[in-house]
Amino acid sequence: MFIFDVHLDLSMNAMEWNRDLRLPVSEIREREKGMTDKPDRGNNTVSFPAMREGQVGLCVATQIARYVKKSNPLPGWHSQHQAWAQTQGQLAWYKAMENEGEMIQIMDLEGLDNHLQLWQSQQEHKPIGYILSLEGADSIVDMGYLERSHEAGLRAIGPAHYGPGIYAHGTDSVGGIGVKGRELLKKIEELNLILDATHLCDMSFWETMTAYNGPVWASHSLCRKFVDHNRQFTDEQLKELIQREAVIGMVLDAWMMVPNWVRGKSDPKGMGVTLEIMVDNIDHICQLAGNTNHVGIGTDLDGGFGTEQGPYDLDTIADLQKIPELLSKRGYTASDIENITSQNYLNFLRRVWG
Ligand SMILES: [Zn+2]
């Protein structure tokens, strides 16, 4: 079954983790043996061959770079301009992968339809389609930079990531969107970009919902009902998103799936982290919506963690192919399952780009 994963940090892995994603997952793991600079060394789950094996033929792929003030302990760049340059390096890698026939950038309906057709064909070594998104908007020095990004194919943008940002407050911080946030939202509407509500703290989330009238989705978020953390959506937030025709992408990061996860200590087996928990979150959103039209897949499987912090019944991204059967066991019909694995987000794009 064709899968559309709406949140992967592919170029971050290439440029900061130094992973050549053209290689099989096993070869990347082999090369990282003994490395200790990142917690997920040797445990990666994503590469192009694994995506092809799992029929993950389309993704939303990020550019990501944070700006931090002197007082901010999070890792990040010391100026917005450096953050911008980092995202441009990431973009250059996507372009190089396009030159190799590994990826293809999707920017409009025509490109989308052509790509979906290609994935129905028998062609070997199909390119992975990617829609460019910016996770955290700190690298946008001023609105002229956002225009340039849009021209380069940027189609979605999340104002914040972790901590306080230039345009909004993100996960684990508290605050609103301010004058700059409002200016950004206006520009997002003007360019018909998709606003990604993932990572907005509660105050910034609700201020954004008041100020913003354009298309909104959440690429990688789960339900606060199951894990009580500000990174997760409350039922009120989920209802607001549903009412705005949003689709919410389900993440496979263990700490968001089970309560009391301790990074670097907890173990997926010990904590019972499985793909079933993703299905619990899917089911909760479908029950809130009264249909299966508002949930999709946004795994974040390469977002700074690997098998040490993911479901233990997933070895690589190819195992996303287990999801249809899990949904089917819960009584989801074939068309429900197709909605969740790709159609909801595809329909969203058709509506916004049409
Ligand atoms: Zn994220």
Side-chain angles (χ1 to χ4, degrees), residues 78-206:
H78 292 183
S79 73
Q80 283 182 275
H81 305 78
Q82 288 165 277
W84 167 261
Q86 176 73 3
T87 64
Q88 296 315 293
Q90 292 166 347
L91 180 60
W93 176 79
Y94 288 125
K95 291 292 158 193
M97 290 301 100
E98 285 191 61
N99 285 338
E100 294 300 306
E102 294 282 349
M103 300 189 84
I104 182 166
Q105 188 175 15
I106 310 295
M107 294 179 282
D108 53 28
L109 268 190
E110 196 192 348
L112 182 65
D113 287 332
N114 288 342
H115 185 65
L116 294 175
Q117 245 174 36
L118 175 77
W119 269 76
Q120 286 188 341
S121 75
Q122 296 305 310
Q123 185 183 310
E124 277 189 37
H125 203 83
K126 298 180 178 92
I128 310 285
Y130 76 101
I131 294 156
L132 200 58
S133 175
L134 182 64
E135 183 168 21
D138 291 351
S139 60
I140 301 301
V141 177
D142 61 43
M143 293 309 118
Y145 283 75
L146 190 57
E147 282 172 9
R148 278 159 69 185
S149 290
H150 176 253
E151 277 163 31
L154 189 78
R155 291 295 176 265
I157 178 170
H161 189 226
Y162 278 84
I166 299 278
Y167 298 100
H169 282 74
T171 302
D172 289 335
S173 68
V174 177
I177 60 174
V179 176
K180 284 195 168 171
R182 276 165 227 283
E183 188 193 6
L184 180 77
L185 293 176
K186 238 179 95 188
K187 197 71 186 174
I188 291 173
E189 273 184 41
E190 187 190 309
L191 294 170
N192 196 35
L193 291 171
I194 296 155
L195 179 105
D196 190 342
T198 289
H199 282 298
L200 290 171
C201 77
D202 287 352
M203 193 191 289
S204 284
F205 175 92
W206 289 111

Side-chain angles (χ1 to χ4, degrees), residues 145-273:
Y145 283 75
L146 190 57
E147 282 172 9
R148 278 159 69 185
S149 290
H150 176 253
E151 277 163 31
L154 189 78
R155 291 295 176 265
I157 178 170
H161 189 226
Y162 278 84
I166 299 278
Y167 298 100
H169 282 74
T171 302
D172 289 335
S173 68
V174 177
I177 60 174
V179 176
K180 284 195 168 171
R182 276 165 227 283
E183 188 193 6
L184 180 77
L185 293 176
K186 238 179 95 188
K187 197 71 186 174
I188 291 173
E189 273 184 41
E190 187 190 309
L191 294 170
N192 196 35
L193 291 171
I194 296 155
L195 179 105
D196 190 342
T198 289
H199 282 298
L200 290 171
C201 77
D202 287 352
M203 193 191 289
S204 284
F205 175 92
W206 289 111
E207 285 188 12
T208 297
M209 291 304 132
T210 307
Y212 177 74
N213 298 303
V216 55
W217 71 22
S219 63
H220 58 307
S221 297
L222 295 176
C223 310
R224 206 174 294 183
K225 173 189 158 83
F226 299 114
V227 176
D228 187 10
H229 190 280
N230 69 82
R231 171 79 178 77
Q232 316 270 86
F233 286 132
T234 64
D235 284 1
E236 286 64 39
Q237 288 172 320
L238 290 168
K239 283 180 196 162
E240 173 72 19
L241 291 168
I242 289 164
Q243 182 231 313
R244 284 171 175 259
E245 300 186 76
V247 182
I248 299 128
M250 300 291 96
V251 201
L252 290 171
D253 193 338
W255 79 264
M256 296 170 65
M257 299 175 77
V258 290
N260 307 315
W261 178 273
V262 185
R263 276 198 179 84
K265 290 215 170 97
S266 297
D267 158 71
K269 266 204 174 126
M271 299 291 276
V273 182

Side-chain angles (χ1 to χ4, degrees), residues 317-334:
I317 193 167
D319 291 320
L320 294 182
Q321 285 298 332
K322 293 177 178 177
I323 293 169
E325 201 193 324
L326 295 175
L327 286 167
S328 168
K329 277 189 186 152
R330 299 260 185 126
Y332 284 75
T333 65

